[in-house]
Amino acid sequence: MLWNKLHDAYIRLFRRQLAGTDALPQLALLGLISGSLSALVIVIFRFLIEWPLSYFLPDNNPENFEALHWAIRSMLPLSGAVIIGLCWYKLHISQRKTGVAYVMERLGYHQGYITFKSALTQFFAGLITMGSGQSAGREGPAVHLGAACASLLGQKMRLPNNSIRTLVGCGTAAAVSASFDTPIAGVIFAMEVVMMEYTIAGFTPVILASVSAAIIAQFFYGINYALVVPQLEMSSLMDIPYVVAMGIVLGTLSALFVAVLRYFMRFQSRPIFLRILAGGALTALAALAFPQIMGIGYDTVNQTILGEVSLSLLCAVALVKLLVTATAVGLGMPSGIIGPTIFIGATAGGAMGALGAFIAPESASSTGFYAMLGRGAMMGAVLQAPLAALMALLELTHNPNIILPGMLIITVSSMVASEVFKQRSVFL
């Protein structure tokens, strides 16, 4: 009885301190706790995606959809679409919202209050979507889950609204950090994309959340667990005009991606089951000829960086992945788009690298170098978050030689998308 009274008194004191302007130590502690909690949930989420797939797919490779028989490749996304469509049909329209856009909505209009039911919906929708080979990424669901964990922690402690908003940023940063092993990019993504504000009081807890999440993810998966990171560099300053041209192409591809997505969002008045089924059927049809588009596709990204994919295949899978992902998401498929964005950018960049090597073999840099630049440029343009994309590019490559061309191509692609095509962030 005495313990409960002391506990309640401490929690009340803690809340009063958080309501003040000098609550940095309390927010820092909450950042550590929320970041660690979010990372553990995301590790479990990733394990439950990869563990069944490693048994189902050949060679115990959770991304090896290419080795499946063509009939299974086509039936898998179609079956997943039927399950998701039936689940979405049972849910009210307000309960179908998932991903980064949902987190931004809750932060902008509801002080960051995210329900446990929405987190549960996102968890199982993400498992089914990724497990059935839809053209999707796990980072969007991870952001939803990380933000929800942090928000629910604040709600459980009955913290003031300003603290819950900060905790949502902590959970977002932790999700990106744990997904890619990019703690700096996690912080910038949370501030630039989701919270859309930079505050001194917010930086410290968000940084601590991101660092704690990266440590926990590295404990389970090791370092550099997301993508291959060879040490590549620009061969000469003669590459600069070609990098600018790449930025223009990728900015155009970004605008095309958002335009296709927005076009198919016009059909939201149609029955949700039919829309989800159509998205799954399109994925199944495309997977017959291009199985590389199934799942998150990081195996194809790694092969592109290593220069193991032909020019014709790179062009084809980049365009097919763009059209299939944008169409399926526009129709209502609960798919993350950060992973597909990286896939499209890497394959399109790799294609331009292979083309450059064909045109000027003496002066062109390696295909992998252009692929790494491409994934940063596409991410920056689609999300309209150039700083987050640059930090992600730098942390994923661990290569300071990427900074100068990375800054250039990300800036060009983002400006082409926003100024020429009037594109806003895909999440808006």
Side-chain angles (χ1 to χ4, degrees):
M1 195 70 179
L2 179 60
W3 166 255
N4 290 336
K5 290 182 178 180
L6 290 173
H7 176 266
D8 292 343
Y10 176 76
I11 292 296
R12 285 195 296 271
L13 176 63
F14 194 75
R15 291 193 204 106
R16 284 198 298 271
Q17 291 172 334
L18 283 170
T21 58
D22 56 347
L24 193 56
Q26 292 80 13
L27 286 172
L29 177 61
L30 287 173
L32 282 170
I33 296 171
S34 61
S36 302
L37 179 63
S38 299
L40 288 172
V41 171
I42 290 161
V43 166
I44 294 170
F45 178 67
R46 178 173 175 176
F47 172 77
L48 291 177
I49 292 171
E50 294 180 347
W51 178 63
L53 287 176
S54 63
Y55 282 96
F56 177 71
L57 298 180
D59 302 326
N60 295 326
N61 183 350
E63 295 189 41
N64 194 17
F65 291 99
E66 295 89 337
L68 288 174
H69 187 270
W70 66 267
I72 300 176
R73 283 207 309 265
S74 61
M75 289 303 298
L76 192 60
L78 198 58
S79 302
V82 170
I83 296 171
I84 296 168
L86 289 173
C87 294
W88 253 226
Y89 176 76
K90 294 291 185 181
L91 293 174
H92 187 268
I93 188 170
S94 63
Q95 299 171 330
R96 300 172 190 160
K97 298 180 180 179
T98 57
V100 179
Y102 172 76
V103 174
M104 294 172 66
E105 178 192 330
R106 301 303 297 181
L107 194 62
Y109 299 104
H110 303 279
Q111 298 295 335
Y113 282 72
I114 301 175
T115 64
F116 177 75
K117 188 173 182 179
S118 80
L120 207 59
T121 301
Q122 173 66 94
F123 190 88
F124 287 105
L127 292 181
I128 298 169
T129 303
M130 297 300 301
S132 61
Q134 307 294 335
S135 179
R138 60 174 176 255
E139 293 77 23
V143 168
H144 185 155
L145 294 172
C149 289
S151 176
L152 290 168
L153 173 66
Q155 294 175 55
K156 182 69 174 177
M157 297 178 67
R158 298 199 298 275
L159 300 181
N161 290 341
N162 62 327
S163 300
I164 292 179
R165 290 178 58 85
T166 301
L167 283 177
V168 169
C170 291
T172 299
V176 175
S177 177
S179 297
F180 289 119
D181 190 21
T182 53
I184 300 177
V187 173
I188 302 300
F189 181 89
M191 295 289 191
E192 186 178 27
V193 178
V194 176
M195 300 181 75
M196 292 187 287
E197 63 182 12
Y198 291 90
T199 61
I200 300 301
F203 260 119
T204 299
V206 171
I207 288 172
L208 290 174
S210 190
V211 170
S212 62
I215 291 171
I216 289 173
Q218 287 180 16
F219 175 80
F220 286 99
Y221 291 105
I223 300 175
N224 298 335
Y225 50 79
L227 296 165
V228 170
V229 284
Q231 290 296 306
L232 303 172
E233 59 183 79
M234 189 167 58
S235 60
S236 71
L237 291 178
M238 295 298 293
D239 266 349
I240 293 296
Y242 198 63
V243 169
V244 173
M246 279 184 61
I248 295 172
V249 171
L250 287 160
T252 304
L253 287 177
S254 164
L256 176 62
F257 180 87
V258 176
V260 172
L261 189 150
R262 292 184 65 181
Y263 174 80
F264 283 97
M265 286 179 68
R266 295 164 55 188
F267 298 97
Q268 289 190 355
S269 60
R270 305 294 175 84
I272 183 64
F273 177 78
L274 295 180
R275 288 190 281 125
I276 296 290
L277 188 62
L282 177 63
T283 305
L285 187 63
L288 289 174
F290 301 104
Q292 294 85 358
I293 64 121
M294 297 180 71
I296 196 168
Y298 283 165
D299 55 340
T300 303
V301 172
N302 289 334
Q303 291 170 6
T304 302
I305 292 172
L306 296 174
E308 298 174 354
V309 187
S310 67
L311 172 60
S312 58
L313 184 58
L314 285 173
C315 293
V317 296
L319 186 59
V320 172
K321 184 80 169 181
L322 185 152
L323 295 174
V324 168
T325 306
T327 302
V329 173
L331 289 173
M333 185 74 73
S335 304
I337 62 173
I338 299 176
T341 296
I342 291 174
F343 180 102
I344 297 163
T347 50
M352 293 200 68
L355 182 62
F358 177 77
I359 296 171
E362 297 83 9
S363 59
S365 300
S366 68
T367 301
F369 182 75
Y370 293 117
M372 290 190 293
L373 289 177
R375 73 190 187 194
M378 191 70 179
M379 178 181 175
V382 171
L383 307 186
Q384 283 298 296
L387 187 56
L390 179 63
M391 288 297 101
L393 181 63
L394 179 59
E395 287 186 288
L396 284 171
T397 58
H398 303 286
N399 185 358
N401 298 313
I402 206 80
I403 295 177
L404 189 150
M407 291 173 69
L408 180 61
I409 193 171
I410 290 171
T411 302
V412 171
S413 65
S414 298
M415 287 187 63
V416 166
S418 63
E419 301 304 317
V420 177
F421 296 99
K422 309 302 178 185
Q423 176 206 310
R424 303 170 70 196
S425 169
V426 68
F427 297 128
L428 296 177

